Amino acid sequence: MIVPPGSNIGIIGGGQLGRMLAMAAAQLGYRCHVYAPDPSSVAAEVAAAFTEGAFDDEGALTRFAAEIDVATYEFENIATGPLAALAEVAPLHPSLEALTIAQDRLEEKTFIQRHGGRPAPFAPIGDRAALDAALAAIGTPAILKTRRFGYDGKGQVRIDDPETADAAWGAVRGAPCVLEGLVRFDAEFSILLCRNAEGQLVTWPAPRNRHEGGILVTSSVPAGPDLQAAIAEGEALARRVAEALDYVGVMAMEFFAVAGEALFNEMAPRVHNSGHWTIEGARTSQFENHIRAICGLPLGATDLAAPRVEMRNLVGAEAEAWQDVIADPAAHLHLYGKGEARPGRKMGHVTRLLGA
Ligand code: AMP
């Protein structure tokens, strides 16, 4: 089904991903209607319409669905029950199935294993005794992660010594978790792909990603010849998963590269921070192709627009240096319009197109 320009696209979630989606949609002549609990949402500022509502308010989501032609989300921590009611009224992409898998680290890892992917060693943790058993089996260092509601390193505790297991279990407040072995990776990279309902599938050149404290710092493309084999393996897995889910929209999969192989970290059924460089750095951005896919349009080319591209996040107070960034004529500055520069908060990013 084609949703033509001029139609109304519903975006659930009001953060910077929604903001950049709405900007890409506007370029194609769509009107975006943002749904979020916070009236000062940075996506609403650039959208045609805004509805304030809780993510679990089924009635409000259903009324919202009646006002739009197609719906998408920019945020994964949304209860799937109320979203299912919305999906009865307006088409929702990516599907609830993809969202349900990605919301739960345990579901996600077992799903990926069924499709031939290899996560880092892991064990499900339902109680304190299971944590001891898993620490004995996996060893330390390890990372205890809540199964649900984690992002940007939140909901994660590193365990270097089994004697600190009590403190780690306290820090996650006994929530259902997975324990993961710490991976001594050579590098991290992500696969960004987009698929439409006709089955057209495109991938962007995979970025090499650097994180600090669980937060993405830089994405660089091309990732470099040392990652070529691991990237080919990761891309093959991402394609298999997208086909198996009959996926529509942008999907991101994050990997650790270890000795030329790809260890799966996590997947996101949405546009992704490691794809922000595509706005200026690729022929078609992840945001535009996501809008094209959910509206049933052909996808745009994903080649690089320069020999090398680097994206750097502006986190917390780093955004205060915006004057230095914009003084560089080669820098593309993006500020998300967020008020308070709290530590760890993503305030903006800068993309540079570079020579060979
Ligand atoms: P996540 O939110 O699970 O993607 O974790 C954020 C970042 O923390 C990752 O991109 C890695 O840099 C680091 N990290 C998470 N899990 C592991 C692991 N099992 N081994 C090594 N580093 C990890």
Side-chain angles (χ1 to χ4, degrees), residues 122-164:
F122 70 95
I125 308 294
D127 56 33
R128 181 67 186 78
L131 178 55
D132 282 340
L135 281 168
I138 291 175
T140 52
I143 306 183
L144 184 64
K145 300 183 179 181
T146 56
R147 280 175 59 173
R148 303 172 68 86
F149 306 126
Y151 69 97
D152 285 350
K154 295 192 173 63
Q156 300 192 10
V157 201
R158 183 171 157 151
I159 304 178
D160 284 304
D161 177 340
E163 287 188 3
T164 62

Side-chain angles (χ1 to χ4, degrees), residues 244-258:
L245 292 170
D246 198 12
Y247 193 85
V248 173
V250 167
M251 173 197 282
M253 245 187 219
E254 293 182 86
F255 291 93
F256 304 116
V258 184

Side-chain angles (χ1 to χ4, degrees), residues 105 143 145 156 180-183 185 188 211 256 265-266:
R105 289 187 188 275
I143 306 183
K145 300 183 179 181
Q156 300 192 10
E180 285 179 26
L182 186 84
V183 179
F185 53 77
E188 292 185 82
H211 294 81
F256 304 116
N265 177 17
E266 62 179 1

Side-chain angles (χ1 to χ4, degrees), residues 206-210 218-224 277 309-311:
R208 177 188 291 253
N209 302 322
R210 204 163 54 77
T218 57
S219 292
S220 315
V221 279
W277 63 271
V309 185
E310 180 167 294
M311 189 284 314

